[in-house]
Amino acid sequence: MVVSAFRGTRLPLFHHSQFPVARTVSRTSKKMIGGRNSKGFVISAQYSQTQDLFTSRLQSQIEKLPKLVEDIVQTSINTGPRGVTRLVQGVQAFVGVGGEWLNDLSKSTSASGGLPSELQLGLLSPLYLRKLFERMGATYIKLGQFIASAPTLFPPEYVKEFQNCFDKAPPVPFEEIRKILQEDLGRPIESVYEYVDPTPIASASIAQVHGARLRGSQEDVVIKVLKPGIEDFLVADLNFIYVVARIFEFLSPEFSRTSLVGIVKDIRESMLEEVDFNKEAQNIESFKRYLETMGLTGQATAPRVYKYCSSRRVLTMERLYGVPLTDLDSIRSLVSSPENSLITALNVWFGSLLACESFHADVHAGNLWLLRDGRIGFLDFGIVGRISPKTWAAMEVFLTSIATEEYESMASALIQMGATNRDVDAKAFAKDLEKIKVNLFLQELDTEIVVATARGTNSDTTAVAANVVMDERQMNALFLDLVRVSESYGLKFPREFALLLKQLLYFDRYTRLLAPNLNMLQDQRISIASNKRTNRYKDSYN
């Protein structure tokens, strides 16, 4: 977070423009040397003005000091002893990554050639900062993923590096998971579940997932369980980040113009939502209501939430069976037309952008399946986005202009979407967009389709399986080009813009595999969301 704030910003404490006295004296001194009538009183007047300005700023900062101290004290109280624990762990992580840097530095100095830039920057370089974040655990891994998904807020080299910030973690022993289940359910788990598989299906930094079967109904379910201690770590880490942001804004008023504290608050809200499974349950229920209201339950679904055995730390959901949208061979065994399945997924997702309270903002292959009954299954609603009708209206124009290669419309849509405090030359902006060929950003990505064949042992048939190898770094490189050009015109996009484009790029991958001849922005079978589609949903809840 702190690194991003230095982008294009200098600390006023060390900014020469805040010390005009020396500059004024220097200029006046030259006049005195060059001529007898130097008007020396100008020096005195300008010195007095500078002194008044300094006094005014100092007074303003002194007035803010009690509030800063109050925030720091209150935050420290809220953090409590867990802050000390995290401090020790932070020092250990710092020493570990610092050791890696020193080792790499010694190797580099012994070799011929100059010192690489990442070694010159030390632990503030993208590479070592990413490694430090991974060692620091859940909060910083999520923070790294936030950096990777917010190219409008962070320098491109950090965005690119944090694409490699993987959310993988060793599983917690099942006995600890059992303890959390029993605490939150308020009764022995045997009275709720007939069986819980002690081996997790998946394990990430924040939670792990176990397969289970409900007692009585015999329904197969999955249980998502928050790992022990994660909330304490989150609170301690986020409080620390908040305090650092407040101190930087106090020391440097220019930081307040970068909305550093506001960014930290957004991150905090996003992360705390992700560890509150009641929120995720609400997201799922909202999506299911959208499907029911729009008459889409025969085409798509999301897991049913079992509220009687769910809580803030435990989420029990229906277990859906299917295959990812990248498993071409399995998809062909389930449906006759993979292309139609993809179109269904696109229409359901596009429709949710405005007709649902939130949209699924992480539709990678693990979260978007073709189910055994032919429906599309949307999984894992931990990351969702919300978009205003105004922003989506501009986004619609942007997407249409990509398909039609109308760069002036594209520029106008981006200007409408981005926040700026200056006039933008739309025609010049359009020419720069044309230079980076934005119209090809969905076509020029390299996608490797891996095909494997296997001949059956008792027949002459050959099974063919295909999968897509996605290069997310290339996806983001293209998006960064767009952001770079836009920022040169003073535009700052909402984070939802990055989330939306990332999902579109995921869908582009599926299109390349399942429907190579489909243009998802121009095909008449695909209905991009519009305000008209929201009326039916909103009317039923007003």
Side-chain angles (χ1 to χ4, degrees):
M1 291 304 303
V2 176
V3 174
S4 71
F6 281 99
R7 189 181 182 189
T9 305
R10 287 176 289 183
L11 281 171
L13 293 177
F14 305 103
H15 196 328
H16 63 80
S17 66
Q18 284 198 315
F19 296 92
V21 179
R23 200 165 57 234
T24 304
V25 171
S26 177
R27 286 198 300 264
T28 309
S29 297
K30 290 179 182 178
K31 290 182 181 179
M32 293 177 67
I33 294 171
R36 295 176 181 177
N37 187 16
S38 60
K39 298 182 180 180
F41 70 88
V42 173
I43 300 175
S44 177
Q46 292 193 359
Y47 178 82
S48 177
Q49 291 174 0
T50 302
Q51 197 171 36
D52 290 344
L53 178 62
F54 176 79
T55 302
S56 174
R57 288 184 176 178
L58 181 62
Q59 181 65 34
S60 175
Q61 294 301 90
I62 290 174
E63 289 173 359
K64 294 177 182 178
L65 184 60
K67 177 60 177 173
L68 173 65
V69 173
E70 180 185 343
D71 276 0
I72 293 174
V73 171
Q74 188 60 51
T75 303
S76 301
I77 293 172
N78 293 341
T79 304
R82 54 197 166 192
V84 178
T85 304
R86 285 303 280 159
L87 178 62
V88 172
Q89 292 172 338
V91 170
Q92 291 173 340
F94 187 87
V95 170
V97 177
E100 287 186 43
W101 173 73
L102 288 173
N103 185 48
D104 293 341
L105 184 65
S106 64
K107 290 178 181 177
S108 182
T109 51
S110 61
S112 58
L115 202 62
S117 59
E118 65 263 19
L119 291 177
Q120 294 177 26
L121 288 172
L123 297 193
L124 286 180
S125 74
L127 173 65
Y128 294 103
L129 192 63
R130 190 259 300 168
K131 290 184 175 183
L132 181 62
F133 275 29
E134 287 179 337
R135 285 196 182 222
M136 287 291 288
T139 310
Y140 289 87
I141 288 173
K142 291 297 178 185
L143 180 58
Q145 292 175 337
F146 181 90
I147 292 172
S149 67
T152 61
L153 299 177
F154 301 94
E157 56 271 20
Y158 287 87
V159 172
K160 290 178 181 177
E161 181 59 41
F162 277 95
Q163 300 302 320
N164 302 316
C165 193
F166 297 114
D167 190 4
K168 294 180 180 177
V172 170
F174 182 66
E175 284 308 310
E176 295 186 42
I177 297 298
R178 172 188 284 271
K179 183 179 178 183
I180 292 174
L181 287 171
Q182 192 150 320
E183 286 176 357
D184 276 43
L185 299 178
R187 53 193 184 277
I189 65 171
E190 291 79 11
S191 65
V192 179
Y193 309 104
E194 183 175 289
Y195 169 76
V196 179
D197 189 346
T199 303
I201 298 171
S203 175
S205 58
I206 283 178
Q208 66 187 50
V209 179
H210 290 261
R213 184 176 298 117
L214 291 177
R215 181 168 293 282
S217 67
Q218 300 292 299
E219 292 174 274
D220 288 345
V221 295
V222 292
I223 313 170
K224 187 175 181 179
V225 184
L226 194 68
K227 288 184 173 179
I230 288 298
E231 287 176 288
D232 287 342
F233 289 161
L234 271 177
V235 170
D237 292 343
L238 292 171
N239 284 350
F240 170 74
I241 294 170
Y242 173 76
V243 167
V244 169
R246 287 284 286 114
I247 290 172
F248 268 99
E249 281 202 355
F250 177 78
L251 293 177
S252 172
E254 285 191 18
F255 275 127
S256 63
R257 289 191 285 275
T258 67
S259 303
L260 181 60
V261 170
I263 292 170
V264 170
K265 286 181 177 179
D266 287 344
I267 293 173
R268 177 188 176 90
E269 182 180 345
S270 175
M271 286 189 182
L272 292 180
E273 274 195 13
E274 200 169 340
V275 297
D276 183 353
F277 293 160
N278 286 326
K279 294 282 188 182
E280 183 170 351
Q282 291 171 12
N283 294 336
I284 295 172
E285 293 296 330
S286 172
F287 186 77
K288 289 179 75 69
R289 284 199 304 272
Y290 152 70
L291 294 177
E292 291 170 5
T293 305
M294 303 300 289
L296 298 171
T297 53
Q299 301 175 42
T301 190
R304 172 189 172 189
V305 175
Y306 296 88
K307 294 182 180 179
Y308 74 92
C309 47
S310 294
S311 66
R312 188 169 49 85
R313 295 190 297 172
V314 176
L315 184 59
T316 303
M317 299 171 286
E318 170 190 8
R319 185 166 189 173
L320 300 178
Y321 291 95
V323 297
L325 284 192
T326 53
D327 189 344
L328 180 58
D329 185 51
S330 297
I331 289 173
R332 282 175 172 163
S333 70
L334 292 172
V335 295
S336 59
S337 175
E339 181 176 293
N340 287 341
S341 296
L342 175 62
I343 290 171
T344 296
L346 281 164
N347 281 329
V348 171
W349 184 79
F350 272 127
S352 71
L353 294 178
L354 285 182
C356 189
E357 296 164 22
S358 59
F359 64 89
H360 197 302
D362 197 20
V363 292
H364 63 71
N367 291 339
L368 193 61
W369 288 9
L370 178 67
L371 304 182
R372 290 175 181 175
D373 62 8
R375 292 185 298 171
I376 300 297
F378 287 80
L379 312 176
D380 194 347
F381 284 75
I383 301 177
V384 298
R386 296 172 179 86
I387 186 168
S388 69
K390 179 182 177 181
T391 300
W392 176 245
M395 189 71 181
E396 277 191 279
V397 175
F398 172 72
L399 294 176
T400 303
S401 62
I402 288 176
T404 58
E405 301 183 33
E406 295 176 0
Y407 295 100
E408 290 193 10
S409 294
M410 191 184 306
S412 297
L414 291 173
I415 292 169
Q416 183 180 347
M417 210 181 309
T420 182
N421 57 1
R422 70 189 198 200
D423 293 332
V424 178
D425 186 339
K427 289 189 176 181
F429 185 26
K431 288 181 180 178
D432 285 340
L433 289 174
E434 188 171 5
K435 288 177 185 176
I436 63 171
K437 297 184 179 180
V438 178
N439 64 301
L440 295 178
F441 93 108
L442 289 178
Q443 285 79 31
E444 292 183 345
L445 299 175
D446 293 332
T447 304
E448 181 183 357
I449 299 181
V450 178
V451 180
T453 62
R455 186 171 295 278
T457 55
N458 300 322
S459 68
D460 293 330
T461 59
T462 300
V464 180
N467 209 334
V468 178
V469 179
M470 305 185 194
D471 188 352
E472 280 199 48
R473 284 172 293 185
Q474 190 181 20
M475 288 166 50
N476 283 277
L478 289 167
F479 179 53
L480 285 170
D481 280 341
L482 175 63
V483 171
R484 174 181 53 79
V485 171
S486 300
E487 283 190 341
S488 69
Y489 288 87
L491 295 173
K492 296 287 184 183
F493 299 119
R495 182 169 178 247
E496 285 70 26
F497 178 67
L499 285 175
L500 282 169
L501 277 189
K502 189 167 185 178
Q503 309 321 304
L504 289 174
L505 290 168
Y506 279 131
F507 277 116
D508 178 63
R509 294 304 193 280
Y510 307 144
T511 301
R512 288 172 178 269
L513 178 63
L514 304 178
N517 298 319
L518 177 71
N519 185 324
M520 67 178 178
L521 300 181
Q522 290 184 311
D523 196 292
Q524 295 299 312
R525 294 169 295 175
I526 298 171
S527 302
I528 295 180
S530 66
N531 289 322
K532 294 178 182 178
R533 299 189 62 183
T534 67
N535 294 339
R536 186 174 162 194
Y537 178 83
K538 290 180 178 178
D539 289 346
S540 63
Y541 288 96
N542 287 337

